[in-house]
Amino acid sequence: MNGVALVAMPWAAPETPSIQIGLLTAVLTKAEVPVTAHSLHLEAASFFVERGVALECVEAVAHQWWCVGLGEWIFAPTGSDRACDDAEYLRYLAQQRVPDEIVDAALRMRQLVPKFLRQSADDILMHAPRVVGFTTTFAQTLPSLALAAHLKTVRPEVTVVLGGANCDGALGQALLNTYEIVDFVIQGRAEALLPRLCRAVLVNRPPAVEPGLLSREMTSTSVQTPHAVADWFQPIYDEYYDRLDRSPLRDALLPRTRLVLETARGCWWGERHHCTFCGLNGTSMTFKAAPADQVLADITALAARYRRTEFDVVDNILDPAFFSNVLPELARRRNEFDYRFFWEVKANLSPEQIRLLRDAGVQRIQPGIESLSTRILRLMRKGITALENVKLLVFAAADDLMVTWNIIYGIPGETEDDYLAMAEMIPSLIHLKPPGLVRLQVQRFSPYFDNPPAHGLRLLGPAPYYRHLHAVDEARLCELAYAFEHEYISGYDPERAVAPLRRALEQWDRSWSPGKHHSLRYERGPGYLRLRERRLGFRSRDILLDRLEAELYLSCRTVTTPAAAAAVVKRVCDIQLGVDEVRAFFAELSEGRLLLREGDRYLALALPMNPDAAPPPISAPKWKVSCAPAH
Ligand code: SF4
């Protein structure tokens, strides 16, 4: 036996290659360690669909129902090894309102798992690997353990290595302590460590004790912290695209497949202000971006090699430096190539930066908005106000960027009044894309998890689905869990508080569709500005503003005060307006929901009629200043 097999199990998204497997394949190839990649997340989708499970159900398990542990349960042990009675788990799924067709599909897939594991083991063992490495993020832990157990039964001499986010911190040690089939756990980045570990195993030498490497023998001496950030590698996805070419799902998935790229690690915001709900591990928070030259070279090379132009960037947060090095160059290349990107960004973007994203080919963003209450945003340490969040939604809509965003409720310290105020705001925003509504879940590594009483929380134990996954006692289950149940020491009931907002969002959701023609836009003419009110629930009308009024309205595109708006008019029109006069005008527009007001600050809600109208200039340094925590 020789070489290394790298495995991505369900429930990674079948329509994209695994970045972890792609990067580590490149790392081992460079280190001249024989390696084969196995995109079994894609293979599983093909396997289940060929046996009568609808692709929509497979994707729903992968993308949506991880929150009840469904994907992991499909691969959880059956028979005497099972953690819990299946009927009990099915009752839990019913309580969580998982649709019947998803539950039926899950039961069918659970029946098919033994056959899938046999097929997968054959797929791997035909290459006779000495080491089999599994990447574990999201719901990949139990599928990986299930296949590892099967491999060990067939070939006990195989060395099983687990890595990935699900091995961070105490989780890695708990996996090692619970599952004897696991020989090594790698914590943190594996780029530097994996080649050394594999070389040692391949020549039957005990691997050296080093930070980030756990094994039963080395537990007492190993330093359990991730090693330093390694070099940047270009992922190799040959095996994924070859497998996709042979897959019965080729026609369904190929039009949707995206290349996956990592251009930065960690979070520059979280390094200074860890958002209170965020479960990003403290040690993986350290921010480091790839050199701009490498990012641009990787995009070109991957697009050329795999004949794809759409990219999912997996960074937690866009590097601000990319606005001056990577994005302008991508914008320039748009004359030649039709690259499209998804990127996670901080919501404090200036209109000019949003325009640059658009020009660079970024079509989808996830800005981490999380709330439309400045008070709650402060509790979360998001460093932004509600008006700035809405400003991002307005400018993203104007530039046709698809925004994925959520409102998280149940934040300790929030009140019913916060949600009444948000519900009152919603009808003004009905021309923008609505959010999802998500209840707070306490995640391991978050400030809420680290010190619950300091935030008025009491942890009740692991999320209920964990006890259907692992046959261990409560103490060990706590070590294995990432998500936890909680209650509020004050007895606060978030469901009651959020009810008015929930109703308003349901209404927004029903009314919004990108194809529907309901909008609020402004049309500029010589000496005037016309507001065209076409939002659902509003009387359709045009409002004509004269030159001074137009300047005042346009000055609110970037969140302004009456005093600052009066100063703009003085500079542009050389007319001195009284601040109270401006405030009265803004109050009138706010009454008509044409402006959004918070305290003495106002934001214009209308989108430009002309999508290419120049965005209001705010220079880049201002962006950094606006990232300071809200006061
Ligand atoms: S929530 Fe986002 S911005 Fe906040 S610390 Fe986590 S990754 Fe960073």
Side-chain angles (χ1 to χ4, degrees):
M1 293 175 79
N2 208 347
V4 179
L6 296 177
V7 181
M9 287 295 279
W11 297 90
E15 71 271 21
T16 56
S18 158
I19 179 92
Q20 295 86 356
I21 298 302
L23 287 174
L24 293 176
T25 301
V27 167
L28 292 179
T29 302
K30 186 175 176 208
E32 298 182 349
V33 175
V35 57
T36 55
H38 301 265
S39 297
L40 300 184
H41 63 305
L42 168 60
E43 192 62 37
S46 309
F47 183 91
F48 293 139
V49 170
E50 272 189 311
R51 285 156 184 80
V53 181
L55 178 58
E56 298 73 45
C57 293
V58 173
E59 294 194 298
V61 171
H63 296 305
Q64 189 179 356
W65 294 108
W66 51 267
C67 56
V68 293
L70 188 56
E72 300 242 56
W73 176 77
I74 289 169
F75 281 83
T78 55
S80 59
D81 290 341
R82 79 178 64 218
C84 235
D85 185 32
D86 281 2
E88 208 181 307
Y89 183 65
L90 296 178
R91 277 197 293 280
Y92 168 72
L93 293 181
Q95 281 165 12
Q96 300 301 309
R97 302 209 179 105
V98 181
D100 287 348
E101 68 268 25
I102 300 295
V103 176
D104 291 345
L107 286 166
R108 172 78 182 127
M109 287 190 269
R110 189 157 159 82
Q111 281 174 349
L112 291 168
V113 159
K115 192 166 181 197
F116 173 70
L117 294 178
R118 284 197 296 277
Q119 176 186 302
S120 300
D122 291 347
D123 180 292
I124 292 168
L125 293 176
M126 67 184 276
H127 300 279
R130 178 77 175 79
V131 179
V132 181
F134 293 88
T135 175
T136 62
T137 53
F138 296 108
Q140 287 177 303
T141 301
L142 279 194
S144 300
L145 291 169
L147 182 54
H150 191 77
L151 286 168
K152 283 280 197 184
T153 308
V154 181
R155 294 277 168 81
E157 61 275 29
V158 161
T159 297
V160 169
V161 182
L162 291 193
N166 294 359
C167 296
D168 272 353
L171 296 170
Q173 189 65 57
L175 284 168
L176 198 61
N177 293 345
T178 309
Y179 293 97
E180 281 191 7
I181 47 169
V182 179
D183 297 298
F184 294 97
V185 166
I186 293 179
Q187 298 193 301
R189 305 293 305 196
E191 283 94 333
L193 199 153
L194 186 65
R196 290 196 287 272
L197 170 64
C198 292
R199 279 200 204 99
V201 174
L202 292 178
V203 296
N204 295 317
R205 187 165 38 82
V209 174
E210 55 180 315
L213 181 62
L214 304 183
S215 77
R216 247 160 242 100
E217 293 72 34
M218 300 193 300
T219 298
S220 56
T221 51
S222 171
V223 183
Q224 294 173 32
T225 54
H227 54 83
V229 173
D231 289 341
W232 296 87
F233 286 84
Q234 192 179 101
I236 295 177
Y237 294 136
D238 296 8
E239 177 268 345
Y240 173 85
Y241 283 104
D242 287 348
R243 196 180 287 271
L244 184 57
D245 254 345
R246 300 191 308 269
S247 167
L249 297 180
R250 181 184 185 281
D251 291 346
L253 296 184
L254 203 55
R256 290 195 275 137
T257 187
R258 281 105 52 200
L259 290 162
V260 185
L261 185 65
E262 182 185 52
T263 67
R265 300 162 186 161
C267 173
W268 53 264
W269 175 258
E271 276 182 319
R272 289 173 284 158
H273 311 282
H274 192 170
C275 300
T276 48
F277 58 86
C278 173
L280 209 59
N281 186 353
T283 41
S284 59
M285 191 71 89
T286 308
F287 185 75
K288 172 135 182 165
D293 288 354
Q294 168 132 17
V295 173
L296 295 165
D298 284 356
I299 289 168
T300 306
L302 289 169
R305 184 163 177 161
Y306 300 110
R307 301 279 196 264
R308 319 285 333 157
T309 49
E310 192 166 3
F311 289 82
D312 278 0
V313 180
V314 295
D315 310 352
N316 296 305
I317 192 165
L318 175 75
D319 181 5
F322 285 6
F323 283 105
S324 51
N325 48 31
V326 171
L327 294 165
E329 178 57 20
L330 287 176
R332 198 189 60 73
R333 291 184 188 181
R334 289 278 284 172
N335 292 331
E336 286 177 89
F337 307 119
D338 298 322
Y339 295 140
R340 284 148 292 148
F341 299 93
F342 163 81
W343 230 302
E344 291 193 35
V345 298
K346 186 92 174 77
N348 316 49
L349 298 178
S350 74
E352 284 180 330
Q353 288 169 326
I354 293 171
R355 176 60 54 87
L356 180 53
L357 288 173
R358 182 195 82 169
D359 292 346
V362 177
Q363 294 188 335
R364 295 175 294 129
I365 56 172
Q366 189 169 319
I369 287 177
E370 322 301 10
S371 183
L372 295 179
S373 157
T374 297
R375 213 182 71 78
I376 295 176
L377 288 163
R378 196 177 300 137
L379 291 168
M380 293 173 167
R381 300 185 198 147
K382 287 301 290 182
I384 194 167
T385 66
L387 284 193
E388 285 168 324
N389 271 342
V390 176
K391 186 186 78 180
L392 176 112
L393 293 172
V394 169
F395 280 94
D399 279 345
D400 215 14
L401 262 61
M402 176 67 84
V403 181
T404 301
W405 66 291
N406 288 314
I407 291 178
I408 304 177
Y409 71 99
I411 298 298
E414 68 182 26
T415 66
E416 292 189 11
D417 285 349
D418 295 323
Y419 287 97
L420 285 172
M422 272 193 266
E424 209 286 318
M425 182 194 294
I426 298 306
S428 304
L429 310 180
I430 207 104
H431 57 308
L432 305 171
K433 183 177 175 291
L437 183 63
V438 182
R439 183 168 172 159
L440 172 73
Q441 185 185 57
V442 174
Q443 297 179 343
R444 186 181 288 277
F445 309 124
S446 70
Y448 289 150
F449 176 83
D450 287 343
N451 193 350
H455 298 279
L457 294 175
R458 189 179 296 119
L459 293 193
L460 302 175
Y465 56 82
Y466 282 105
R467 65 191 182 84
H468 301 283
L469 305 180
H470 303 278
V472 295
D473 62 27
E474 187 68 14
R476 178 59 58 82
L477 203 59
C478 281
E479 293 170 7
L480 288 165
Y482 178 75
F484 291 82
E485 286 213 297
H486 66 275
E487 64 183 11
Y488 301 84
I489 292 170
S490 64
Y492 173 68
D493 177 7
E495 293 303 333
R496 194 184 129 121
V498 81
L501 178 66
R502 189 187 294 283
R503 282 193 294 276
L505 292 182
E506 283 167 0
Q507 170 78 16
W508 188 359
D509 224 29
R510 275 195 297 275
S511 67
W512 189 85
S513 141
K516 274 190 194 163
H517 187 72
H518 71 93
S519 62
L520 171 65
R521 292 195 181 272
Y522 65 81
E523 174 191 26
R524 294 166 304 162
Y528 65 89
L529 182 129
R530 181 177 287 111
L531 291 167
R532 296 169 63 95
E533 173 63 271
R534 303 289 185 275
R535 284 175 293 181
L536 211 70
F538 289 76
R539 183 167 60 84
S540 182
R541 61 183 178 140
D542 289 353
I543 302 127
L544 196 65
L545 303 183
D546 66 24
R547 183 165 175 236
L548 286 188
E549 293 169 333
E551 287 299 341
L552 289 173
Y553 189 80
L554 291 176
S555 71
C556 293
R557 286 183 300 168
T558 56
V559 182
T560 199
T561 61
V568 169
V569 168
K570 172 75 178 130
R571 181 164 40 81
V572 176
C573 310
D574 198 22
I575 293 176
Q576 186 66 60
L577 295 173
V579 172
D580 285 342
E581 196 182 350
V582 175
R583 187 174 290 116
F585 175 62
F586 283 175
E588 193 185 322
L589 293 182
S590 303
E591 187 76 13
R593 293 183 179 268
L594 299 165
L595 291 179
L596 196 62
R597 183 178 80 85
E598 185 178 45
D600 201 28
R601 304 197 324 146
Y602 297 82
L603 172 71
L605 290 171
L607 277 56
M609 186 72 80
N610 171 10
D612 292 320
I618 294 185
S619 57
K622 178 82 186 266
W623 184 65
K624 288 198 169 175
V625 172
S626 71
C627 286
H631 297 295

